[in-house]
Amino acid sequence: MAEKRYSAADIRVLEGLEPVRVRPGMYVGGTNARALHHLLWEVVDNAVDEALAGRCSTIRVELTDDEVVTVTDDGRGIPVDVHPEQKVSALELVFTKLHAGGKFGDGGYKVSGGLHGVGASVTNALSDWLEVEVRRDKRLWTQRYRRGVPDGPVQDVRALEKGEGTGTRVRFTPDRTIFDKNAHFSPTTVQQRLREKSFLVRGLTFELVGPDGVEHVYRSEEGLADYVRELNESRDPAHPTVVSVSGESGGIPIEIALQWTNAAEDRVYGFCNVVNTVDGGAHVSGLRRALTRVLNQAAHDAGRLKKDKGESLDAKDVADGLTGAVSVMLEDPQFEGQTKGRLNNQEAQTAVAAFAGQALADWLADKAHADDAKRILDRVLLARDVRLAKAKISKKLRNAATSIMSDSNLPGKLADTIDNPAIPAAERELFIVEGDSAGGSAKQARDNATQAILPIRGKILNVLGAKNGKAFDNAEVDSILVALGGRKDVIGSALVATLEEDQLRYGKVVITADADADGAHIANLLLTLFHELFPALLQGGRVFIARPPLFRVALKDGALYVHTEDELKAALKAHKRTGDHVTRFKGLGEMNAEHLRETVFDPATRRLLQVSMEDAAEAANTVELVMGSNPAPRRAWLEESAGDAEVLV
Ligand code: TTJ
């Protein structure tokens, strides 16, 4: 160190960046992995600015080495000429002066200097070394820095070869004496961030090379509409076309994409200058305000709400199930809040509210969107109906202090357990039994203190494809819901079913079907039903399948029940019995109460199969695959899955 002589410029630089090294927390929010990623975002954001200026089409990030990160763009290249006032090159200023990021632009919108934008000089200050290459004015220029201090002036390396093009490349390695030992770049984090940005700058290509050498490419042509489509990929959209509008108001560029789903979540993402404003703010409030106004207007115009009766949608109705994104570009964004995640520019709220009000009304009025417009109205009006009904129910509960679910509403054919408050619901079992005649013998065989019988008639509805409330239109599905302690409310045009854990009337549900192919099919349908409508029961390990036997072999003392022909052969051989000692059960209905008690009801002797979520999912797949075709594969499913999961319960 003693040999190095600092020039006046070096000292100025040191003074400029020293605060960053002394208090990294002030500039990148700490010294952990998140802070480490800030170094990369600063550099990427500078390249994104060039893309926003329309001068850069590809940004490439290389994470091939754990310690060295490279960002390359094909923009114009950072200017290298000497800045008239500062007497050093513009390039050097970008990397050595705090907040120098936006100084050389042609105006326009800056990501750098935005939400966390503290400038590329911060990356430089917190890097062990950093190297920048600029391809510009037909020449290659470089400069190298150690902990923010230039090794020397910008170097004119050579003339560019034909086809090299223009651009900027920055390569750096974080200073390990500053960041935590376990702070490393995460390819997934970087991947997510670049992907998100790709939706915000249409047509900009991001290339990411991870440590495994695999290259990912992110690029979106339809911007936020692509983003919303992707967010809703795993959901059930309430209408097919993503609402997508863009334009400007009051000089502020605005882009909006929306799609309602049948889920209950409300997810509206806000962005300002290509940065996610995680706590929303002015732009998001502007959008919500416009949505409430536009959809109220549409509902009144369509005569679906009566304005004179004061019927209206509130902001919550409009947001129910909504997936949306709004992006604005501001010249002087103001972020507030603990993590600077909320946009505070009031003009952004006014602009978005005004733009969205008109653009959404036009979108909904467009003939090409008539079907979507109707479905969107259906969805928000349903949310309103549900809200009003819930308010009514809770008021009723408060006033009368009685459960709206009284025993008198239980299905008529349910043979319930006797009403003994000493036995908790958890110790009670509901047997869903195929066929009325089987139900009859089951009633004889059960222990009525703890075991209830619900006979189900014939083939039960395939609930796949019967969306939401529709399934509960089916009498059998409805009786299962009600027997379990669930509730069904007719709300507006839809049925809303709820089954709450603390309302469960039984601790176990046992599906009891014949040991033949048809029985297996019914079991599959019931499992599909539980999988689709009551997944919490499966998750809680509450669903079982009874395994009634096919044969009974009378022994010298007692009897043996077997489930397959092979088992029967083996049993006859082992016990030296013949066909004369065998009873074959064609179905549950043919078993007497004693046989049923032993094999299905008595916990000491019965065989139950506990059904996992995966088993039920497989059953649902099977139903989807074989519904209406050859019953053989259905049977195979039950027999295969019987193997490992069998337990005595
Ligand atoms: C500024 O206005 C004149 C033409 O060049 C503009 C500019 O600064 N472009 C620019 C900066 N392109 N790329 C960058 C950049 C790229 C990376 C990877 C890192 C940094 C700090 C800047």
Side-chain angles (χ1 to χ4, degrees), residues 481-498:
L481 171 78
V482 174
L484 285 169
R487 198 179 68 223
K488 192 173 78 162
D489 299 304
V490 183
I491 293 175
S493 54
L495 291 173
V496 178
T498 27

Side-chain angles (χ1 to χ4, degrees), residues 585-628:
F585 304 120
K586 284 230 183 71
L588 289 162
E590 288 189 7
M591 295 171 80
N592 68 30
E594 186 49 36
H595 298 160
L596 258 182
R597 179 176 306 126
E598 271 186 6
T599 58
V600 173
F601 289 98
D602 184 352
T605 52
R606 71 189 180 185
R607 294 168 83 180
L608 295 188
L609 196 66
Q610 190 171 33
V611 185
S612 70
M613 197 70 179
E614 291 72 40
D615 295 335
E618 209 174 312
N621 282 338
T622 309
V623 167
E624 203 162 52
L625 287 172
V626 306
M627 197 55 192

